[in-house]
Amino acid sequence: MSQDFRLNNIGMVNRNKKISFIFNGKKYFGYEGDTIASALIANGVHLVGRSFKYHRPRGFFGVGVDEPYAILQLERNNERDPNIRATEQEIFEGLEVKSVNCWPSVNFDIGAINNFLKMFFPAGFYYKTFMWPPSFWYKIYEPFIRMAAGFGEASIKHDKERYEHKYEYCDLLITGSGPSGLASAYAAAKNGARVILAEDKPRYGGSLLTSDVNIGNQTGIEWSEKIITELKSMSNVIVKNRSQVFGYYDHNMLVMSERISDHLPKTQKYLPKQRLWYIRAKEVLISSGSIERPLVFGNNDTPGVMLSSAAKEYMKVYGVLVGKKPLIFTNNDSGYETAIEFKKNGVNPLILDTRKEPSSDIITEAKNLGIEIKFSYVVVAAKGYKKVKSADIAKISDNKKDLSNIENIECDCICVSGFWTPSIHLASQSGNKSEFNEKIDAFIPKKSKQKENTIGSANGKFTLEETINEAFDKGYEVSNKITENNNKVSIPTVVEKKSTQHDKFWCVPLPKGKSYKRFLDFQNDVAVTDIELALREGFRSIEHVKRYTTLGMATDQGKTSNLNGLQLVSDIENKVVPQVGHTTFRPPYTPVSIGAIVGREVGKHSKPTRKSPMHEWHEKNKAVFVDAGVWLRPRYYKQGNETLFEASKREAKNVRKNVGVCDVTTLGKIDVKGPDAAEFLNRVYTNAWLKLPVGKARYGVMLREDGIVMDDGTTTRISENHYHMTTTTAQAANVLSHLEYYLQLVWPELNVNVVSTTEQWAGAAIAGPNSRALLMKLFPNTDVSNEGLPFMGYKEADLFGIPSKIYRISFSGELAYEVNVESDYGNFMWEKIIEVGKEFQIQPYGTEALSTLRIEMGHVAGSELDGRTIPHDASLEGLVSKKKDFIGKRSLSRSAFTKPDREKIVGVVPLDKTTSIPEGSYIVKDPKAKLPNPKLGHVSASCWSVEYDNPFSLAIIKDGKNMIGQKLFAMSPLKNKTIPVEIVSSHYVDPEGKRVRG
Amino acid sequence: MLYIFCPHCGLRSQNEFAYGGDATVKRPELNKEISDQDWDNFVYLRKSPRGKHLELWHHISGCRQWIKVERDTSTHEIFKTYKADELTE
């Protein structure tokens, strides 16, 4: 298609580079530097979407972040990207976009029937409709709402693009590179401050790109180019375009989203798609400018109605005409600048000015150019469905209440200007309570809440001279607080056209007998009648009106609608706007992709992966791994076609029969040192520690202050003032914090230090009847006999030249040892154990066999110590000292913890000796009892006992100690199973503990 | 994200710290009789004031010291930070 609306001698796009792209299946051409919006408008395309509620045709309203409705879905590298503003997304070769919220197509949209059913879609229709009958919810109402809700469709495929995060620190962050941003950045940078200047558009300069002004004897564009070039060359300045500072958080932390590759056909090899910057700024200057306000009239949402500033920017920046028969509808001088630009490009506009007899330089200039102007005139309604074809215009009375001389005139676009709204979103996010400024009929920031200042038109300064002066001063003043360089640059002189007072009038009354929809919020389809209805129904607080009508919500955050909504509420309520107040602006200011927020913390990268030094050996020997917290542990070692069940049974059996070796590096290890270490352990653990001799280990249980078991493990006295504590894999970090808490805050008088040594030691548990024989071969120079190294003994030894530590402790219930060496020797140790162990039929075993072994021995682990059990429940009450005090002791005498029928751990065996009991099953007396069936407790862990070759489970049940021998039922509603069971002792194998001591 | 002054390390971002609750709670002394009520108050009951709050933070990814932070719970302003053994005002 030809670009019928492209101007030849104006604009900043690269005419030498033609780019093709596809919109709704059709190919179009534009130039490098075009946005989707400018390229489509150049091709005369204005219909790009359908509105949210009524599915009315939607075109372009703005030219950047102000755009409320040209939201498209983008396809790039076979990825779908919803929520793309056509006014921000630059085109690239091969770009594919399509409209959203329409079916089957944007031209013929079934949902548009809503437009004719609009009496059924009043404010709050979600709350009023879909209420009855209740049975309609799941099958009819909900699917309908789900289909109708939201813009676009997110891809369900994995996003292959890379997103990055970056942390940056600076003296001064400046948000926006318009005249105030440039001037303040320049003044601050010259004064030695470290400055970040962020611009959301591809081009720097803001309003200078489109305004007819002169700074220091240069045009606005020349001046901005000069300043940017100089800033870029300075080492203390970071200048970023396509970068939106979207959130202002606590303690001057701002977050900026940089679109690095969104405008390129393919992400470059070493570049991410987007980068999220976390910026901690000592000071912030908010120079985010202002957004033109719409005027409200009938059908003001018709494609072709747009902001006059947008029309001007399409001409000056993109060389594109939004129409060839423009109607300018304004209440201030800004509309004239657009009209003059049309005229300069050979198009004759008609200006309708709501004011009676305004006069200013710019109005005179328009008159001199021969532009037709009608004063005290308004647009009553736009005509045309998919594009403006004409407009009903009328003379308005001096009191702005009555319309007369209504006539229809032909036009193909209506450029509106209802004056300007400062973008105070960031200031509001920082906590700044804004104040209403009568002069500009808008809110401006009040007192700074954090270290932030707002400058330029965002602060209600609408003349360039004021803006430049304020920005240079602020840039110097703020930077000098930090650098104290006193280096002040001179302020250039500014030449601009003087404008006159705007009209406070903004909403055109309806002519008699007409019921045109007059829209306030274009994104959320909120019309004047919706606000009126909400107020009639009794909503008063502006925050309630917002939520009931959806005014100013969603991705738009009320950029164009907020003030008109407030004006309307205050008009109806006979209040002034400041009495109504405004709603809170929330981050993000513009939509941010989830990918950017997540960054590289995706999948396995969402947390660190910890591997033991023996990991490679496990991999080579067909280990199947399981996540244990952030550790990867072998679950079982697969031989041939073995299943998990077969392999773990084989491994566990081999431990009971011969000898097995298990990687226990992941256990938490904490060094406890100091003259008061014994006293400290005595307070931390429930059992007694003062008399533990050097060279001996002891099993201990620690509680939280509420009496619940926190962790268990063995601690060994290495020397007089040195203990080696082990914790469970999962609780290692918590236990260290817990110990530090008590040492630093509760008992600082104790002379003890703790430090994690988890990663310093590699550990191998050697378990089984052959383990001593194996140890004798591994440590020929050390006495590892039952007398030389008794149960719970500890020895330092020499493993083929490597210093190692042997702890005679057992989790499997077999004769067992744990050997530790420094991590770097872990693999050496492991390979030696396997090599020497061959003649004793050694096999490595994983966590599944480890569980089997501990379950049938009745040893408790995380599934029993689940944050709900006290020592008694886990049959650990024998370890609770009655003589001494310790953390959590007082809680154990609370009534619930001392009830006679308190839960206790038991063993559970199915009567048929074949049906495995699902973990989590309830234990009940009567499986047919009326629901909710009173449960006695739950099954915490299940295994296949290799000792007896039948299923065995542990359960924690009410009055457990008196239940042994009873026939009960295990019920699993999840697995739909009811299994008759017998309650037995939790110590299913070797209850006297002969093996570990043998 | 808060910017917390660690008295040992200097200004650090909140993501280096773990929150530790009310810093004014004092653990009852060991081996001392205490009523159920008083013990429950110590274990379970915490004030949740709007405004100034002296609270514990653990510099878990830094020096691993527990510190006390005087913070406004509604504005998040941090007035002062203290070492664990420092007397607070």
Side-chain angles (χ1 to χ4, degrees):
Chain A
M1 263 187 91
S2 59
Q3 301 181 39
D4 286 344
F5 289 81
R6 184 73 72 172
L7 294 162
N8 283 329
N9 303 316
I10 185 169
M12 300 169 179
V13 293
N14 180 6
R15 308 281 172 147
N16 297 322
K17 200 154 176 207
K18 213 168 179 185
I19 286 174
S20 75
F21 66 102
I22 293 165
F23 170 64
N24 283 342
K26 203 167 164 184
K27 195 170 187 176
Y28 294 91
F29 287 97
Y31 294 115
E32 188 182 64
D34 262 326
T35 60
I36 297 169
S38 67
L40 284 175
I41 294 171
N43 285 284
V45 177
H46 280 262
L47 177 62
V48 290
R50 291 283 175 157
S51 75
F52 196 58
K53 225 158 84 179
Y54 306 118
H55 288 248
R56 286 164 69 108
R58 285 288 183 253
F60 304 101
F61 193 74
V63 69
V65 296
D66 50 347
E67 178 60 49
Y69 35 59
I71 293 168
L72 302 176
Q73 176 129 343
L74 183 146
E75 318 257 330
R76 177 180 183 267
N77 301 340
N78 299 318
E79 298 285 340
R80 259 185 273 158
D81 212 343
N83 217 351
I84 299 293
R85 273 188 174 79
T87 51
E88 287 192 289
Q89 174 66 48
E90 293 158 79
I91 57 168
F92 51 79
E93 195 58 46
L95 167 77
E96 256 190 271
V97 280
K98 59 180 187 188
S99 301
V100 296
N101 213 32
C102 55
W103 186 83
S105 79
V106 70
N107 258 306
F108 178 73
D109 174 24
I110 297 278
I113 196 159
N114 290 1
N115 189 31
F116 302 102
L117 302 173
K118 55 192 165 204
M119 59 280 234
F120 299 121
F121 290 88
F125 76 100
Y126 278 110
Y127 313 112
K128 293 171 181 161
T129 336
F130 311 126
M131 299 299 283
W132 190 90
S135 61
F136 269 38
W137 247 107
Y138 285 112
K139 293 218 164 99
I140 297 174
Y141 294 151
E142 201 189 315
F144 169 77
I145 292 172
R146 291 225 178 273
M147 199 179 142
F151 286 114
E153 209 183 327
S155 171
I156 54 166
K157 283 192 288 185
H158 173 67
D159 186 350
K160 292 192 205 78
E161 298 282 2
R162 196 152 54 83
Y163 301 86
E164 285 188 348
H165 285 183
K166 183 178 168 70
Y167 287 80
E168 193 55 81
Y169 298 80
C170 65
D171 294 330
L172 181 58
L173 170 65
I174 300 169
T175 68
S177 75
S180 59
L182 287 174
S184 55
Y186 188 73
K190 284 282 176 191
N191 197 24
R194 291 182 307 145
V195 174
I196 298 176
L197 177 63
E199 169 57 49
D200 72 305
K201 291 192 171 177
R203 297 170 190 83
Y204 300 99
S207 66
L208 294 176
L209 297 177
T210 56
S211 52
D212 194 3
V213 293
N214 193 296
I215 307 175
N217 288 325
Q218 289 170 303
T219 66
I221 295 176
E222 286 164 354
W223 183 79
S224 63
E225 273 170 8
K226 189 195 86 177
I227 297 285
I228 277 292
T229 310
E230 193 166 347
L231 286 174
K232 278 182 178 168
S233 73
M234 295 172 78
S235 60
N236 55 332
V237 181
I238 296 173
V239 179
K240 283 283 163 194
N241 60 347
R242 300 189 179 93
S243 297
Q244 179 78 59
V245 177
F246 64 79
Y248 200 133
Y249 300 93
D250 287 316
H251 298 183
N252 263 32
M253 163 70 82
L254 291 95
V255 185
M256 172 172 94
S257 152
E258 183 186 6
R259 306 184 303 273
I260 293 173
S261 308
D262 283 352
H263 62 295
L264 303 174
K266 231 180 151 80
T267 309
Q268 306 294 299
K269 198 173 172 195
Y270 297 109
L271 284 181
K273 184 170 188 255
Q274 295 172 6
R275 181 180 288 132
L276 207 67
W277 293 60
Y278 292 90
I279 302 171
R280 189 78 73 174
K282 284 186 188 151
E283 293 277 348
V284 176
L285 285 180
I286 298 168
S287 56
S288 41
S290 52
I291 291 174
E292 207 168 25
R293 251 185 335 256
L295 288 168
V296 177
F297 54 90
N299 302 330
N300 56 338
D301 62 330
T302 312
V305 178
M306 67 167 65
L307 295 173
S308 89
S309 55
K312 188 172 68 169
E313 193 164 326
Y314 282 119
M315 282 185 276
K316 292 198 89 162
V317 173
Y318 300 101
V320 169
L321 276 179
V322 299
K324 292 180 178 173
K325 224 172 161 10
L327 184 61
I328 314 282
F329 179 27
T330 187
N331 73 355
N332 69 94
D333 284 6
S334 297
Y336 287 79
E337 291 178 31
T338 305
I340 290 168
E341 204 52 47
F342 271 115
K343 186 75 186 176
K344 280 186 187 164
N345 286 291
V347 175
N348 281 320
L350 166 63
I351 299 178
L352 303 186
D353 192 330
T354 64
R355 295 172 295 184
K356 201 175 172 191
E357 286 165 337
S359 75
S360 70
D361 293 358
I362 196 164
I363 296 172
T364 314
E365 186 185 343
K367 281 181 183 162
N368 292 343
L369 283 169
I371 295 172
E372 190 187 345
I373 307 168
K374 285 175 184 279
F375 292 110
S376 290
Y377 251 81
V378 295
V379 175
V380 175
K383 296 281 163 143
Y385 183 56
K386 291 176 188 168
K387 176 77 200 289
V388 172
K389 288 189 177 130
S390 67
D392 281 354
I393 64 170
K395 196 163 178 63
I396 190 146
S397 61
D398 289 353
N399 66 4
K400 311 281 187 191
K401 292 218 155 71
D402 305 310
L403 302 169
S404 57
N405 305 358
I406 297 182
E407 59 177 310
N408 184 267
I409 60 153
E410 216 183 299
C411 61
D412 63 355
C413 67
I414 303 174
C415 307
V416 296
S417 177
F419 207 51
W420 294 85
T421 308
S423 292
I424 58 169
H425 299 68
L426 283 177
S428 171
Q429 288 173 18
S430 96
N432 192 313
K433 298 270 179 248
S434 50
E435 65 182 342
F436 191 74
N437 185 312
E438 295 278 345
K439 218 178 99 193
I440 61 168
D441 286 321
F443 286 93
I444 56 172
K446 207 172 168 181
K447 203 168 167 295
S448 303
K449 195 81 187 184
Q450 302 199 38
K451 293 208 180 292
E452 122 267 322
N453 284 282
T454 306
I455 54 172
S457 67
N459 194 29
K461 302 278 187 299
F462 290 142
T463 74
L464 185 64
E465 192 176 4
E466 273 181 296
T467 293
I468 291 282
N469 289 340
E470 179 190 44
F472 270 99
D473 287 347
K474 269 280 180 243
Y476 169 77
E477 178 196 315
V478 169
S479 62
N480 213 44
K481 273 199 284 186
I482 299 162
T483 69
E484 296 176 358
N485 280 348
N486 302 319
N487 193 1
K488 209 169 183 173
V489 288
S490 60
I491 303 176
T493 52
V494 170
V495 183
E496 66 187 313
K497 287 171 208 158
K498 296 267 176 297
S499 51
T500 183
Q501 185 61 32
H502 73 285
D503 191 354
K504 289 183 184 292
F505 174 78
W506 61 280
C507 183
V508 181
L510 286 175
K512 274 199 189 87
K514 298 286 184 191
S515 60
Y516 301 121
K517 273 230 169 275
R518 293 170 296 169
F519 283 94
L520 293 165
D521 186 320
F522 302 98
Q523 184 170 76
N524 301 299
D525 266 3
V526 181
V528 170
T529 46
D530 294 317
I531 303 289
E532 289 170 346
L533 180 67
L535 292 169
R536 273 206 307 281
E537 290 182 355
F539 289 92
R540 286 295 173 272
S541 154
I542 190 67
E543 296 280 4
H544 291 158
V545 172
K546 166 182 169 176
R547 278 153 189 82
Y548 192 59
T549 62
T550 69
L551 174 81
M553 308 231 296
T555 63
D556 184 54
Q557 285 289 297
K559 290 183 188 73
T560 50
S561 62
N562 199 282
L563 262 176
N564 283 344
L566 299 179
Q567 276 287 2
L568 182 64
V569 173
S570 52
D571 286 357
I572 297 172
E573 295 269 280
N574 274 324
K575 284 179 180 167
V576 287
V577 174
Q579 283 175 301
V580 174
H582 69 78
T583 54
T584 313
F585 298 103
R586 313 228 177 252
Y589 175 61
T590 52
V592 186
S593 68
I594 300 290
I597 292 168
V598 173
R600 301 188 73 169
E601 290 166 21
V602 178
K604 279 277 171 206
H605 298 298
S606 59
K607 51 183 171 45
T609 301
R610 298 176 86 179
K611 295 174 182 171
S612 93
M614 288 84 97
H615 188 82
E616 273 179 37
W617 190 94
H618 302 323
E619 272 181 335
K620 271 188 222 147
N621 289 274
K622 303 218 168 73
V624 176
F625 291 93
V626 62
D627 290 327
V630 294
W631 287 94
L632 278 181
R633 295 190 74 177
R635 191 170 185 195
Y636 63 101
Y637 300 82
K638 195 175 178 129
Q639 288 185 0
N641 290 324
E642 272 180 333
T643 60
L644 161 68
F645 179 68
E646 290 160 352
S648 61
K649 224 159 91 173
R650 167 182 52 76
E651 291 170 8
K653 255 186 191 160
N654 191 57
V655 172
R656 293 269 183 252
K657 205 174 126 208
N658 300 307
V659 60
V661 59
C662 181
D663 186 347
V664 292
T665 304
T666 62
L667 284 184
K669 304 171 201 76
I670 297 170
D671 250 18
V672 183
K673 280 186 175 176
D676 296 323
E679 172 62 24
F680 180 54
L681 293 175
N682 211 40
R683 296 180 187 184
V684 167
Y685 282 123
T686 59
N687 45 344
W689 285 81
L690 297 179
K691 288 179 185 151
L692 181 72
V694 172
K696 277 284 191 183
R698 184 165 284 175
Y699 175 72
V701 174
M702 59 177 81
L703 310 184
R704 312 188 306 216
E705 291 287 16
D706 62 2
I708 302 290
V709 177
M710 180 177 185
D711 199 44
D712 67 340
T714 57
T715 291
T716 308
R717 192 166 200 173
I718 304 289
S719 65
E720 180 65 22
N721 295 330
H722 178 191
Y723 291 79
H724 172 81
M725 174 188 278
T726 64
T727 73
T728 58
T729 301
Q731 290 292 330
N734 290 345
V735 170
L736 184 64
S737 290
H738 177 76
L739 301 181
E740 285 166 337
Y741 175 89
Y742 283 92
L743 284 175
Q744 293 172 25
L745 292 157
V746 185
W747 304 309
E749 68 278 7
L750 291 183
N751 193 353
V752 180
N753 260 312
V754 289
V755 68
S756 166
T757 57
T758 301
E759 301 206 333
Q760 276 63 39
W761 298 104
I766 299 170
N770 292 347
S771 56
R772 181 176 296 127
L774 170 55
L775 240 70
M776 285 162 72
K777 285 227 162 176
L778 287 170
F779 305 100
N781 304 324
T782 307
D783 178 7
V784 294
S785 67
N786 203 21
E787 295 72 37
L789 182 57
F791 181 53
M792 297 310 262
Y794 159 77
K795 263 194 173 164
E796 288 173 13
D798 179 303
L799 177 78
F800 300 96
I802 304 303
S804 52
K805 301 179 175 225
I806 312 171
Y807 305 88
R808 188 173 161 190
I809 52 179
S810 175
F811 192 44
S812 57
E814 295 297 328
L815 171 66
Y817 303 85
E818 269 183 39
V819 182
N820 278 10
V821 293
E822 283 179 30
S823 290
D824 287 352
Y825 297 113
N827 205 45
F828 172 84
M829 165 185 72
W830 187 268
E831 284 180 343
K832 278 289 171 202
I833 293 170
I834 296 285
E835 184 192 314
V836 178
K838 257 187 199 141
E839 62 174 291
F840 305 103
Q841 283 77 47
I842 196 165
Q843 284 183 22
Y845 64 101
T847 55
E848 201 67 24
L850 183 83
S851 291
T852 297
L853 296 167
R854 73 95 183 166
I855 292 168
E856 58 178 7
M857 277 291 165
H859 288 170
V860 291
S863 49
E864 288 76 35
L865 308 179
D866 61 356
R868 293 179 290 183
T869 44
I870 57 170
H872 168 274
D873 310 351
S875 275
L876 299 170
E877 65 271 32
L879 290 169
V880 177
S881 166
K882 292 201 168 62
K883 290 181 195 143
K884 57 141 194 174
D885 200 357
F886 52 84
I887 293 167
K889 185 179 192 184
R890 179 63 181 82
S891 289
L892 295 179
S893 54
R894 288 161 50 85
S895 57
F897 290 170
T898 50
K899 282 190 307 191
D901 65 344
R902 177 79 200 169
E903 287 80 358
K904 199 170 190 64
I905 189 167
V906 294
V908 183
V909 180
L911 293 185
D912 67 2
K913 301 273 175 116
T914 48
T915 312
S916 286
I917 305 165
E919 291 179 349
S921 296
Y922 289 167
I923 301 292
V924 299
K925 274 190 177 147
D926 175 6
K928 295 197 175 92
K930 213 178 131 214
L931 293 173
N933 195 337
K935 64 161 186 166
L936 295 167
H938 72 280
V939 171
S940 59
S942 290
C943 73
W944 189 277
S945 163
V946 290
E947 184 86 9
Y948 300 107
D949 202 25
N950 58 252
F952 175 74
S953 298
L954 294 174
I956 296 175
I957 62 171
K958 204 171 242 181
D959 200 16
K961 66 172 183 267
N962 293 319
M963 288 295 193
I964 291 175
Q966 294 223 33
K967 304 264 192 307
L968 302 170
F969 296 87
M971 287 183 79
S972 171
L974 264 181
K975 300 261 163 91
N976 204 14
K977 273 188 179 174
T978 302
I979 305 161
V981 298
E982 184 182 356
I983 304 299
V984 298
S985 158
S986 61
H987 300 294
Y988 198 44
V989 174
D990 188 23
E992 293 88 32
K994 283 184 187 146
R995 296 181 191 179
V996 289
R997 290 179 177 82
Chain B
M1 190 166 17
L2 305 183
Y3 213 17
I4 300 171
F5 182 82
C6 170
H8 309 279
C9 310
L11 267 175
R12 299 300 172 94
S13 273
Q14 183 184 345
N15 48 7
E16 291 186 12
F17 295 84
Y19 181 66
D22 189 342
T24 61
V25 174
K26 213 174 153 354
R27 192 193 188 280
E29 269 176 62
L30 288 168
N31 301 308
K32 231 180 175 182
E33 288 267 316
I34 178 168
S35 69
D36 276 356
Q37 185 66 58
D38 288 347
W39 181 256
D40 282 5
N41 286 350
F42 156 67
V43 176
Y44 298 106
L45 292 188
R46 296 291 180 273
K47 284 195 181 109
S48 180
R50 184 179 194 272
K52 271 195 186 178
H53 187 230
L54 190 70
E55 56 203 17
L56 293 170
W57 288 79
H58 191 196
H59 198 184
I60 203 155
S61 304
C63 60
R64 295 208 61 96
Q65 294 299 303
W66 286 86
I67 61 168
K68 295 177 197 169
V69 176
E70 192 179 45
R71 182 180 69 104
D72 188 307
T73 56
S74 86
T75 65
H76 293 181
E77 186 180 351
I78 290 175
F79 306 100
K80 211 172 167 187
T81 55
Y82 305 86
K83 291 179 185 172
D85 56 358
E86 232 177 311
L87 285 178
T88 52
E89 281 156 17

